[in-house]
Amino acid sequence: MPTALGVREMSGVSIRNVTKNYGGGTPNAVADLNLEIPETEFLCLLGPSGCGKSTTLRMIAGLENLSSGEILIGDVTVDSVEKGVFVRPEDRNMGLVFQNYALWPHMTVEQNIEFGLKIKKVPQAEREKRIDEVSRTLGIEKYRKRYPSEVSGGQQQRVALARMIAVSPRIILLDEPLSNLDAKLRLEMRAELKRIHNELGSTFIFVTHDQWEAMTLATTIAVMNEGRLQQVGKPEDIYERPANRFVAEFVGTLPINIIEMSSGHGNALKTWMSAYLSFLPIDASEIASVGLRPRTLVIEPAGADGTRNGMPRCAATILDIVPTGGSWIVELDVGGDRLLGLSGNIDGLAAGNEVTFTVDRKHVHLFDSGSSRVNVV
Amino acid sequence: MTNQAPGHSQATGLSINRLRYRTRTCLSDPTIAFGIILSLLFAYFILSPVLMMLFDAITIDFADQARAGGAEGIFTGYYLQRALVSQISRYIFWTPLLNTAIVSLCVIVITLALGSLLGWLVSRTDLLGKRWFSTALVVPYMVPSWTFALAWLALFRNRKIGGLNSWVESLGLNPPDWLSYGIVPITIILALHYLPFVILLVGNALRQFDSQLEDSARTLGASPRVVAFRIVLPLLRPSIISAATLVFAKCLGDVGVTYILGVPVKVDLLATSLLRAISTGQEGMSAVLAGAIVIFGAASVLIDIRLLKTAQRYVTIGGKGAIHRTVRLGRWRWPAVIFTASVVLISAVVPLFALFLTTVMQTPGVITVENFTLDFWIGHDLDTTALRQGILLTGEFWVAGWNTVWMVGTASIAAGLLGLFVGYVVVRSPIATVAAFLKQVTFLPYLVPGIAFAAAYLSMFATPQGPIPSLYGTTAILVLALFASQMPFASRAGIAAMMQMGKEPEEAAKIAGAGWWRRVLSIVLPIHRGALVSGILLPFISGIKGLSLVILLAVPGTDLLTTYAVRLVDYGYTQAANAVAIMICVVAFIGTWAVQKIGRSNLADGIGG
Ligand SMILES: Nc1ncnc2c1ncn2[C@@H]1O[C@H](COP(=O)(O)OP(=O)(O)O)[C@@H](O)[C@H]1O
Ligand SMILES: [Mg+2]
């Protein structure tokens, strides 16, 4: 490994049985995490705030020690509690962009970018070239002589990225990098990140609590909750085949409609769903709850026949229709229970109308009493 | 057995590896090693002198073997008994204690009453010349307290102890003893000197205080008086308590004022009683007296901390949308201005001016052209026994000046730097006990008033300690004591700075591949440049004018400006002493001005340092 620039080693990340406890009687921040992140992947760790995403990222970077388990980079063990191995963060050759950017306030933009190159003993001429390159790539040439406090938040973000990619790290870690930006900048940076990923071909691990960021950026999403991994998969898998109720409820712009099958006796909604389930090749007694995404609800004026594509319909009353620019949120009432629908077309529908609705069988999400997904074979 | 062995050894192997993992992560940077070195350093230079001194109070001193009836080093109650219940205990302990109690109580009452009013006037009202007044009112704190004592003598001295005529005498009056010396002038001077404390603390608290809190009480129908007593006063309680404790601790440790105004007429406070015990070589007795001062000082500070903790729930004062409305003084406008102006006049202008005039007059208070002279500054061949030239031409003055600059400077730089490192270790150390110990031990000198701390240094370093020879009479003991006594402020400044920075900038450097030293030199120190500068300059300013700590430790060869001035007072060279005092004020003013100029720190931060 002559200079760190250019030469690339194996750079997948393996997280094995990793648990992290901060002590003081707190619950595990990360519990028994197993995750294989292949080389050049753009993995997104998604989950609500406090679920252990940053902790995971910081453990990969070596900034936080493990309570048990091991972490490998390529085939090199960098952390192993059981084998007594620890590689210092200085020696891990990674890039990390902090949520608050953590630029060095006493150095100019240029010096911020140069620092890592100096540490890696890159010769002066090559350093200059590299700084030119990355500041051009990220469009910050104009601010090279300024201090971080003299540039805007969006530009600070770019400086943080430039500082990180200047040393071409094999693994790039990003902790909620878009969360401090306004909507427009966020779109811009999203594109920028995607481009950088394509150009560098490094492994990206990206932390966010924003499912939109995760869905639009990641090649793979890992959903976490309360320190535990819930599901790993492609964005569309996560959305269309949530592994459990938590994932189903966390992912999706509008909250998913949940119908509890085990409680609430004999109401209209449950009656309809029981009838519906009886058409499916499953053991209906196993099903504890059913999830229906608003956009999959097919809502039609009352009076159509009792079934659609062989599946029963349910009668409902429209409570309200809320325009959301191009589509409409339709609030339904079924014998006192409320459901949300999302429809691109509301011809013939109005608040107060009696309607019927149903869903395609491929769009019902079934969960057992342990909240795990039950697949319809 | 044979069956179990493999499993067993595997389990031990595992736990050894766990331990190895822990150690490796902890030792991946030298923070812990550094923390341990710092802990040892401060245990040696702060903790052990204080412990040694307390130990001296209960063991027999070499000189007292016969009287105490035992060999040196044996445990004894002799000194305690002598100080507390013997025939002389009234003179050594109880009267000084009573005096101390009376003086500090009066000082606290006066400063709180005047200070709260003035603090309110300059922070919340439309007082004329508010900005100017808020600076002018702080002046008394910038000059050494004993300067006021010299000024007092210059104004009110009578024939009881002789010497130069005072201004009042020059007017043909003979001031009574109670006005010239003793409890009354001591109280007045300490009150004037520490008044700025209260003004600053109360003023700052009121400045952050949200007018909406008052308004909401008013809209609920509370009268202004009820608002003042039920809303404003309770919310100000934390700053008032802090101010009161600080003033108490300062009175407890103040030597200079009493030395100049009390000792000539045999009025002692605990601090001067201690000074006397030490200068007459009574180690055991001085340890008891110093111990008493430490206990009172520590108790007051601990009570303060406790009370502040319970008052923490008030910290919501002045959130985001705080409104600060100025109170219109209306017909009280002029009385308020006159009142404030006269405080400035009495507490700063008159004393300093009188002090200055004595240095340019042959006989104070006689305003004739031939009475004015610059002899005390730049004259030569004067008809005095010693000091036959003006101060500015005297070698000792410049030596003392240089000593002050380099000794206090060295101590402040060392304290400032180490304070930052203490802050670093306290905030970063993965071992909580090291962090806690460092935090407490560097805070310790704050609980020990200057004179008692000096006594502690004497009991430890006046005799050879292992490889270290006796340091009495050397500059080393002065620098070390100054350094140690500045650690509370320095380490708190360091901790605050480190907390503020957060660990991300350093972690970013870690990720970039920078090792520990590199991170400290390129990231941590440069980022805290500002904190470092004020962490050095503020203690420097308070060190320059301090007397209590160094009066015991300096000898003629190692005089600082302050001890040199006191020595001149002892020899009766009043005008020369006053000239030195004026020079110290000048240096302190310039220093304070420089700190404000460099910015990022204001005087209120330096209080208590
Ligand atoms: N330094 C720390 N000390 C103690 N607890 C911590 C620390 N950092 C994080 N935690 C706790 O660990 C959990 C996970 O935190 P974090 O990884 O920051 O979550 P996320 O990044 O997903 O919001 C939280 O409950 C948090 O309170
Ligand atoms: Mg986080």
Side-chain angles (χ1 to χ4, degrees), chain A residues 179-197:
Chain A
S179 66
N180 290 340
L181 303 179
D182 61 37
K184 186 171 160 287
L185 278 176
R186 199 178 285 208
L187 269 173
E188 241 175 74
M189 280 319 293
R190 200 195 66 84
E192 198 80 68
L193 285 176
K194 215 155 191 166
R195 192 169 58 76
I196 294 172
H197 178 238

Side-chain angles (χ1 to χ4, degrees), chain B residues 346-432:
Chain B
I346 293 170
S347 72
V349 180
V350 169
L352 288 180
F353 194 60
L355 203 63
F356 173 71
L357 281 183
T358 53
T359 68
V360 294
M361 289 176 154
Q362 299 284 3
T363 313
V366 178
I367 314 278
T368 57
V369 175
E370 60 272 22
N371 190 34
F372 280 95
T373 175
L374 286 178
D375 279 354
F376 302 112
W377 290 94
I378 52 169
H380 32 78
D381 299 324
L382 308 179
D383 54 356
T384 39
T385 25
L387 203 71
R388 298 175 58 92
Q389 63 289 318
I391 269 299
L392 295 181
L393 301 179
T394 305
E396 283 107 17
F397 168 75
W398 292 106
V399 170
W402 168 239
N403 279 348
T404 301
V405 172
W406 86 257
M407 287 190 212
V408 179
T410 310
S412 309
I413 291 171
L417 270 174
L418 285 187
L420 212 51
F421 280 110
V422 167
Y424 182 88
V425 174
V426 166
V427 175
R428 296 277 190 279
S429 167
I431 301 183

